[in-house]
């Protein structure tokens, strides 16, 4: 899925303008890259087109150990949204991401995150 198509899907899912979709996509994927270990972020980035891969690859040397609420709070800070809006953004972007990557990659990614993240990726039944 090219970047423009990814943004179109985020726009539709979140009800965003083109600029808003780009802004929330950058915030969410950068936060996700920071949440993941560099090796996992790199593997995920390999599945994505530019500039999505670059956003994920902004991972730091040590992954952040954020639960969903802290993750959403970081997205809120990056986007200027309140936490409710940031959660909508996270769901729009991460569910689009889950649709973009293969099932095996998605399952591997979700297995590396606390179960509560599954709902943000569009799989609440896996949240436990």
């Amino acid at each position: 899925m090219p970047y423009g198509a990814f943004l179109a899907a985020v726009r539709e899912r979140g009800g965003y303008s083109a600029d808003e979709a780009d802004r929330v996509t950058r915030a969410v994927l950068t936060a996700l890259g920071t949440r993941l270990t560099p090796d996992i972020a790199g593997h995920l980035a390999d599945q994505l087109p530019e500039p999505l891969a670059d956003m994920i690859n902004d991972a730091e040397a040590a992954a952040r150990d954020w639960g969903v609420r802290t993750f959403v709070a970081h997205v809120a800070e990056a986007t200027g949204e309140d936490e409710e809006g940031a959660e909508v953004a996270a769901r729009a972007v991460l569910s689009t991401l889950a649709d973009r990557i293969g099932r095996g990659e998605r399952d591997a990614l979700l297995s590396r995150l606390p179960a509560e993240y599954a709902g943000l990726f569009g799989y609440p039944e896996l949240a436990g």
Side-chain angles (χ1 to χ4, degrees):
M1 174 184 288
Y3 185 59
F6 189 93
L7 288 182
V10 170
R11 272 194 326 262
E12 183 178 319
R13 289 177 186 196
Y16 298 112
S17 70
D19 288 343
E20 289 171 323
D22 182 63
R23 179 177 54 84
V24 300
T25 295
R26 289 180 185 283
V28 171
L29 293 184
T30 299
L32 180 63
T34 302
R35 174 60 178 84
L36 300 172
T37 60
D39 60 322
I40 300 301
H43 186 68
L44 176 59
D46 289 344
Q47 311 296 311
L48 301 171
E50 299 295 333
L52 297 173
D54 290 338
M55 294 172 207
I56 294 290
N57 270 330
D58 280 344
E60 298 174 9
R64 306 291 186 185
D65 190 18
W66 296 333
V68 166
R69 296 285 31 113
T70 303
F71 178 83
V72 169
H74 282 277
V75 171
E77 183 179 329
T79 61
E81 301 274 342
D82 61 19
E83 289 200 15
E84 183 178 323
E87 186 169 336
V88 168
R91 287 180 191 284
V93 173
L94 295 178
S95 65
T96 301
L97 177 67
D99 288 349
R100 165 62 180 93
I101 60 179
R103 181 179 178 181
E105 181 67 29
R106 182 200 70 219
D107 291 348
L109 175 61
L110 288 175
S111 74
R112 303 238 182 345
L113 295 167
E116 61 188 339
Y117 276 82
L120 293 179
F121 282 85
Y123 294 89
E125 68 277 7
L126 300 177

